[in-house]
Amino acid sequence: GAVVSQHPSWVICKSGTSVKIECRSLDFQATTMFWYRQFPKQSLMLMATSNEGSKATYEQGVEKDKFLINHASLTLSTLTVTSAHPEDSSFYICSARSGRGENEQFFGPGTRLTVL
Amino acid sequence: AQKITQTQPGMFVQEKEAVTLDCTYDTSDQSYGLFWYKQPSSGEMIFLIYQGSYDEQNATEGRYSLNFQKARKSANLVISASQLGDSAMYFCAMREGKRSSASKIIFGSGTRLSIRP
């Protein structure tokens, strides 16, 4: 199956700093990528849909100015958590489909963010 | 309103037994897709099986099968001959609308499956 990578796999930062998470599709082009957040022992909550070359579409309740998404190319989307606070500590997972409407959605390995 | 409901927060099953994980869904779309994913403690999401709303036969993938009952809006996952490595969180998910690269997938709350040796 297709491979999606994320970098970094984990990050610890101080409150108030910004953190950038990269999501790459390694062997296919992804016109659309999705960003999810997962708190401990909870499900994945969709944060936003990232579209190559256009603005991201955010889910209700997700602050677009806090979670900046840039889908700069067909293989790269970035999520920047700006002015991070302890409540932003979570597991962030990206996923992508190849654009051919395939049934399988490929997930990255996730990034664990801890804000002190 | 909850779109995907998994009523079993946790299950314990003896190794080699079959197990059924429940999932019900709610949608007004005629075209939709249903997924099951496995998430081990490492956090990665592993795709298991897919069922399209127009598929007449239940999907099967090795030891996994999806018991699709459209009228009841249920899509239960059946794992046959469970193995210790099956211990993980299992999520049911749904994509509403026609299949496209941009259609969203939303997840249920998950079921933690533990296999006893």
Side-chain angles (χ1 to χ4, degrees), chain A residues 11-84:
Chain A
V11 56
I12 302 173
C13 69
K14 293 182 178 180
S15 185
T17 60
S18 294
V19 175
K20 180 185 284 188
I21 302 170
E22 292 185 350
C23 176
R24 293 182 185 272
S25 56
L26 297 185
D27 50 2
F28 67 99
Q29 293 185 331
T31 55
T32 305
M33 291 183 174
F34 304 88
W35 286 96
Y36 292 84
R37 178 168 54 183
Q38 185 180 30
F39 292 109
K41 300 187 186 302
Q42 295 188 22
S43 185
L44 281 73
M45 299 301 296
L46 180 64
M47 299 175 65
T49 302
S50 169
N51 304 295
E52 188 267 337
S54 65
K55 292 183 179 180
T57 303
Y58 290 83
E59 295 299 302
Q60 190 174 8
V62 178
E63 300 175 59
K64 62 180 181 180
D65 294 331
K66 181 166 186 63
F67 299 100
L68 301 179
I69 292 173
N70 183 16
H71 197 148
S73 73
L74 288 172
T75 59
L76 173 64
S77 176
T78 60
L79 168 68
T80 301
V81 184
T82 62
S83 187

Side-chain angles (χ1 to χ4, degrees), chain B residues 73-103:
Chain B
K73 293 188 176 179
S74 74
N76 298 342
L77 176 70
V78 180
I79 306 175
S80 63
S82 58
Q83 302 171 356
L84 295 178
D86 294 334
S87 295
M89 280 291 288
Y90 288 80
F91 291 100
C92 180
M94 179 175 68
R95 181 199 64 233
E96 289 186 293
K98 289 185 177 181
R99 183 177 67 190
S100 77
S101 62
S103 50

